[in-house]
Amino acid sequence: MRRDVRRTAPEGRGPVRYGPPAPEPGLPVLPGLAALVAAAADRPVPEPPGGGPVLREAAAGYWWRRGLRTHAEDVVAAPGAPPLLLALIAAHGGDLLLPRPCPAWWSPQARLLGRPAYHVPTPAECGGVPDPFALLETVRRVRAEGGDPRLLLLSVADDPTATVAPPELVREACEAAVAAGLHIISDETWRDTLHRPQETVLLSPAEMCPDDVTVLTDLGGALAPAAWPCAVARFPPAAARTGGHGGRRPRTLDVLTALGALVPGPFAPAAAHALDEPEDVTVRARLTAHLHGRVAAAVHHAVLSAGALARPPEAGRHLYADLGPLRAGLAARGVTDSLELENHLTERLDTPVPGGHRFGDELGALRVRFGTAAFLGATEEERTTALTAPRPEELPHVADALSSFGAALDELTR
């Protein structure tokens, strides 16, 4: 394995600036997208606040193809998901409810705005979506204590757990949220990274509750390189065009404008092209999902073989593991919580392994997120070979990385 993404600085453990990045694909940039950025490199100005008409029309088409009626005036674009989520939270007001665990970058937005955020347990079968009964109880308790919960964040294809929430759970959680007077922000960044798309049913909350859900998608999930900052949000169409729900879209635009959070001009044509989903983009997305799915399945097998626990990965480029059953072996190495586990595995595997405390889990729980990009090879040639291999986990360099990973876990059993 190799150190190919940003490490957590030991002297700065905890601060947001050292937090883990989203799982990366570890693959070369598509030549067509790179050519579009190069051709637009002399654009002197950024996109207008919320994105220009071409970019927003492309985003609208992206959602139309997924069964969500959308027009350009329903869309807002921003340079990445974090500033866009920050603007959405600011526009909606009130306290937040988050599933436990949740993406590492969600909570900092609430803290920056001084908004209370309350974690709600997820059910045993998946992450990303709160247990409906626990959600209602949390809302009741927060209001009884004088809080003002108004916003629920969830992700049907989840980071960190790599699971996809069953449609019936999505329905129940959304109905509970709407009945409790909550607006829903659905982070669907990973919806196009399903490992087995023919076998996995993904239901967007916006299909269930069209007037009460704002959808957020970062193009770095499946359509564009993570280093190219662009994310889009789809507001409930009726509210976006009429200024309903308190004018949340205009307020979001105000916040983005105040932040100077504008999509860079040279990236906009490539982002619009990616959202149009031409063949080169869709083929790359499909191959990437297959590659990371095969590797994630092998990582999952190694985790279970070592006696640890993990839900089967269904989407994304990562796996969330519970090493609690290995607590005795870890304690013998001075590892008693997820922060110490993060440091131990990051050093042992020579690649960042963020602990569960980064995702809102309890510090005492021995949980970590493993990224799959670290297994794809050390060179562009090796990673490209893995991309097109029908069984990438059997390639010598991938198999060696998986073997080293399994050996590192087996050490913890002794």
Side-chain angles (χ1 to χ4, degrees):
M1 298 180 71
R2 61 187 181 88
R3 189 176 305 168
D4 61 350
V5 291
R6 186 173 63 222
R7 288 196 63 168
T8 299
E11 70 277 8
R13 57 179 64 162
V16 172
R17 64 186 180 277
Y18 295 122
E24 298 178 9
L27 297 167
V29 176
L30 271 175
L33 293 180
L36 286 169
V37 172
D42 60 352
R43 287 185 60 172
V45 296
E47 291 279 285
V54 174
L55 179 55
R56 290 186 290 111
E57 283 284 0
Y62 169 87
W63 277 304
W64 269 107
R65 290 190 294 276
R66 285 152 182 79
L68 298 176
R69 180 172 59 88
T70 312
H71 298 89
E73 57 266 33
D74 307 325
V75 175
V76 164
L84 184 50
L85 179 61
L86 179 75
L88 290 171
I89 294 172
H92 284 80
D95 303 344
L96 277 67
L97 297 172
L98 313 173
R100 183 193 298 275
C102 70
W105 61 276
W106 282 6
S107 296
Q109 317 303 318
R111 289 199 299 269
L112 188 61
L113 292 169
R115 299 284 179 80
Y118 303 91
H119 286 276
V120 184
T122 53
E125 66 264 33
C126 71
V129 175
D131 177 87
F133 297 103
L135 174 64
L136 291 174
E137 175 57 24
T138 302
V139 171
R140 184 202 63 76
R141 176 177 55 80
V142 170
R143 287 177 175 157
E145 296 173 355
D148 183 25
R150 296 190 204 172
L151 200 57
L152 169 65
L153 272 61
L154 51 75
S155 54
V156 288
D158 186 44
D159 171 26
T161 66
T163 58
V164 176
E168 59 273 16
L169 173 64
V170 177
R171 180 186 299 273
E172 292 170 3
C174 289
E175 289 176 349
V178 172
L182 305 177
H183 187 77
I184 299 167
I185 295 179
S186 176
D187 180 0
E188 299 183 10
T189 294
W190 302 102
R191 69 167 297 155
D192 298 314
T193 66
L194 301 184
H195 299 165
R196 295 172 295 279
Q198 282 74 37
E199 304 171 20
T200 308
V201 179
L202 187 149
L203 178 68
S204 170
E207 298 177 62
M208 293 295 314
C209 307
D211 296 331
D212 299 286
V213 178
T214 298
V215 179
L216 170 67
T217 297
D218 191 320
L219 272 64
L223 301 179
W228 294 6
C230 188
V232 288
R234 173 196 179 271
F235 289 80
R241 287 194 292 274
T242 64
H245 293 289
R248 289 166 181 158
R249 184 177 184 274
R251 290 209 303 272
T252 300
L253 290 172
D254 286 344
V255 176
L256 292 173
T257 303
L259 294 173
L262 312 176
V263 177
F267 290 140
H273 180 77
L275 285 164
D276 283 336
E277 297 181 291
E279 185 177 6
D280 62 331
V281 172
T282 57
V283 168
R284 166 60 73 86
R286 184 170 64 251
L287 289 175
T288 301
H290 173 266
L291 166 62
H292 285 279
R294 298 285 303 194
V295 174
V299 173
H300 180 248
H301 177 74
V303 168
L304 298 186
S305 296
L309 304 173
R311 299 183 182 102
E314 299 175 287
R317 306 185 279 262
H318 50 285
L319 179 88
Y320 199 57
D322 183 352
L323 273 58
L326 310 182
R327 187 174 294 274
L330 287 165
R333 291 163 174 79
V335 176
T336 59
D337 61 30
S338 65
L339 193 152
E340 293 169 345
L341 180 61
E342 172 183 296
N343 290 335
H344 175 80
L345 288 177
T346 294
E347 188 65 30
R348 175 64 179 81
L349 298 175
D350 199 27
T351 191
V353 183
H357 60 287
R358 304 285 186 180
F359 309 104
D361 255 333
E362 301 87 349
L363 183 63
L366 296 174
R367 299 187 184 113
V368 289
R369 186 188 71 187
F370 295 113
T372 49
F375 296 89
L376 304 186
T379 67
E380 184 171 310
E381 181 181 2
E382 287 180 337
R383 296 191 294 272
T384 301
T385 300
L387 179 65
T388 56
R391 295 182 177 275
E393 72 278 11
E394 297 178 0
L395 293 172
H397 66 277
V398 179
D400 286 347
L402 289 167
S403 177
S404 296
F405 173 76
L409 293 183
D410 286 340
E411 290 175 1
L412 304 179
T413 65
R414 299 191 291 272

